[in-house]
Amino acid sequence: MINLIDTPGHADFTFEVVRSLRILDGAVCILDGVAGVEAQTEKVWYQAAQYHIPKIIYINKLDRDGAAFGKTVQEIASRLYAWPAVCQVPWFEGGKGRFCGIGDVITLRAHRWREGGDGKLIETTYINNLENFEPAFVAEMKKARVALVELLSSYDDALVEKFFELDEKHHDIPSEAIIASLRRCVLDQDSKIVPVFAGASFRNIGVQPLLDAVVQLLPSPNEIPNPEVSVGRAEGTLAQLLSGELLSKEAQITRSTEGAAKGLKERGPMAVISNLEACALAFKVVHDPRRGALVYVRVYSGSIQRGAPLYNTNLQVTEPAQRLLRMYAQDSTDIPSLPAGQIGVIPGLKHARTGDTLISYIGASPKTGPPPPLNSLQLRPIEVPPAVFFSNIESHSLGEERAVKNALDILLREDPSLQLSVDEESGQTLLSGMGEFHLEIAADRLTKDLKAKASMGKIEIAYREALLFPSEPQKALLDREIAGKRGKAGCTASVQPLIEDEIDEATLGNYDSTVFEDGNRITSSISTPQDPSGTLEPWNRRLPSQLTLDTLHTALKNGALAALVRGVNYPFPFYNVHVSISIDPRTQIFSTDTSPAALSTAAREATKAALKQAAHGGTAIMEHVMNVTVSTDEASLGAVVKDLNSERGGHVMSLDDADATTSGIREELPAIDLRK
């Protein structure tokens, strides 16, 4: 049995590709014969390479105007860095007519589909019978056969021996030998050979030969690399786990922990492993309105039996597999068991999520699960890419909030690349995902399928207001009741745009303090200016008993920060502001009436007055900026740079080749200049 998983090609649904690649044994990469290798194709190709998945390529839509099979084959080599092994050649009537079939380079036969048919009736002809009718097509097939044999001979010694046995005649090599050679090269990831097939799926041309190639060339579950697993702090392969080697390794690591190795000491690694019935990975969760949650799993060892308790090693909970289903698109069939290598569905699991490891263990406790360290067994998890697009989501009324939250929980369980968060500044509930289209689909599913009464809109951007000019010193004197007690305090504040490295903390006096917080610098000091009238006594270096030096500076800082929370000309916090607050103990501290709360209030009033005075000269809005690495081909470089420099005022800091970009150039980018 072969399980086929179709993943979307849109970049917004890259997580669907990632979680499918995690459990696949082989992949068919479908290319557009008109567009060729696209940017998203390259991304998915390299993702598949990370999981060491054998691949074949199918060039589709060759019936459309502008389709270029040869150009697409060249792009496979130049953009995917693979050796294209052309196994089929497209057949155009008369060389330039309609696309009617394919030429099989392996068997040296031509397959023709009837126009307008359902694809079931295929006329097969040996190329020798076509030389008089389609000479150019036959010549192209022979040329492709020679190229295919030469390419395979570079990596497969068995085919080279066969080639010499037949007196170096490329066309005499039997198709079975070429298929066997192709299979060996496909399974050997070091060869980088990728078989290439042709067709037009919409017209049902080339589909049957492609499915035959899937069976003949892609690996079975027994031929894939051993899955990676971890038990406690020991990491290895599933084969090492089943042989007891990994448990012995974990026992050595945790020898000092008596409880962790107790089961192994009493029974031995193989006795513990022998009760492991099955090990599976949950890779997708779908909410069905009739059957509830459907958990798709891939079984890697053993067999899951109907009714068996499954222990979730990620969540440390046990759930029964009451039913096992085999899916045929939307239809399903009940099955008694799910053996290793198969993909199936377990309905009714309340806790399992994408990436969870499920194990069936004979004699496991319903509460604590299998004995340690098997209760920590985990297959390699599925990595969730970070979100890149955000949208605000709101329920239509307070009464609908609970229903909306439950619907969102279902949505997030289905798709972990969707994330929910609350913006601290705006208070908005944000739903984030992989792109605008991704969130549109999520919103449609939320309202139509899950019947949630909510709407999605734009998020509030957390802009910042910045000063352009300094202020004059502004004094504030507070004399009123605060929380039922009399409060009296004063201070002087001035503000100015923050200049980097303008404060040398080593030059501050013993009674001064400076802090950098929330993008602003607050400097507070005790100042005793000269008294021209001579009526003030010198400060005796003492503060009232309720005030310590640290308490005074903290109160002044908190007052200044409170004033910076909201701008003057715009409803955004101030940023990049230097606030200088000074206090004269002789005239602005009033014995026991001056409390920390009074000082904080006076500092807020003085800072607000200084900000308003400085804002008369104008303020500026600051936007978020970030370092971004953009990858593009050389032909599009000029257009990309122009676009970056135009509307949004981007600054191109460096231009490097792909090797430099992937080797850590992000860490070496210069710091962003906020003054530009």
Side-chain angles (χ1 to χ4, degrees), residues 396-418:
H396 291 169
S397 64
L398 290 175
E400 296 292 338
E401 284 188 352
R402 185 175 185 85
V404 171
K405 182 182 181 303
N406 293 337
L408 284 171
D409 289 342
I410 293 174
L411 202 63
L412 268 60
R413 187 185 178 195
E414 286 187 348
D415 187 356
S417 62
L418 290 172

Side-chain angles (χ1 to χ4, degrees), residues 105 141-152 170-171:
V105 178
M141 285 186 62
K142 291 181 177 180
K143 181 181 177 182
R145 181 58 173 305
V146 173
L148 178 61
V149 172
E150 293 290 339
L151 177 61
L152 294 176
H170 300 82
H171 300 151

Side-chain angles (χ1 to χ4, degrees), residues 229-476:
V229 300
S230 65
V231 178
R233 286 173 287 179
E235 297 180 354
T237 65
L238 186 59
Q240 290 176 319
L241 172 70
L242 298 178
S243 66
E245 180 182 344
L246 202 58
L247 291 184
S248 300
K249 181 179 178 181
E250 165 64 11
Q252 293 177 359
I253 295 175
T254 59
R255 185 168 294 172
S256 58
T257 308
E258 191 67 26
K262 184 178 179 181
L264 294 179
K265 287 181 178 179
E266 294 177 352
R267 303 171 56 191
M270 291 311 299
V272 173
I273 286 293
S274 62
N275 287 343
L276 181 63
E277 275 193 320
C279 179
L281 180 74
F283 69 93
K284 186 179 179 70
V285 180
V286 175
H287 178 76
D288 186 274
R290 184 168 54 90
R291 293 173 291 192
L294 303 179
V295 180
Y296 285 73
V297 299
R298 160 72 190 263
V299 183
Y300 282 96
S301 72
S303 178
I304 297 179
Q305 303 297 320
R306 182 192 300 159
L310 297 177
Y311 183 73
N312 188 322
T313 61
N314 297 75
L315 301 177
Q316 307 287 301
V317 296
T318 301
E319 297 182 90
Q322 296 177 349
R323 295 176 63 195
L324 299 176
L325 303 178
R326 177 170 291 132
M327 300 300 294
Y328 300 92
Q330 297 297 325
D331 300 327
S332 62
T333 302
D334 279 274
I335 54 177
S337 63
L338 201 57
Q342 288 297 315
I343 291 174
V345 170
I346 306 175
L349 298 183
K350 297 180 180 179
H351 303 286
R353 310 160 304 176
T354 296
D356 285 352
T357 300
L358 307 175
I359 61 176
S360 175
Y361 191 87
I362 299 175
S365 168
K367 293 184 178 180
T368 60
L374 267 186
N375 58 355
S376 63
L377 167 64
Q378 288 193 11
L379 291 157
R380 179 181 176 180
I382 299 174
E383 297 180 2
V384 180
V388 297
F389 204 88
F390 299 81
S391 181
N392 172 41
I393 183 166
E394 293 181 358
S395 59
H396 291 169
S397 64
L398 290 175
E400 296 292 338
E401 284 188 352
R402 185 175 185 85
V404 171
K405 182 182 181 303
N406 293 337
L408 284 171
D409 289 342
I410 293 174
L411 202 63
L412 268 60
R413 187 185 178 195
E414 286 187 348
D415 187 356
S417 62
L418 290 172
Q419 299 173 19
L420 201 64
S421 60
V422 177
D423 186 87
E424 294 182 357
E425 293 190 14
S426 65
Q428 289 183 318
T429 300
L430 304 182
L431 183 66
S432 55
M434 304 308 299
E436 184 176 11
F437 186 46
H438 185 204
L439 292 187
E440 287 178 1
I441 297 297
D444 186 72
R445 176 148 172 69
L446 186 69
T447 55
K448 293 183 179 180
D449 296 344
L450 301 177
K451 309 300 181 183
K453 295 181 180 180
S455 57
M456 297 180 68
K458 295 181 179 180
I459 65 173
E460 293 182 10
I461 304 298
Y463 295 108
R464 295 291 185 266
E465 187 172 354
L467 294 177
L468 299 177
F469 304 98
S471 74
E472 298 293 333
Q474 302 292 317
K475 291 185 178 181

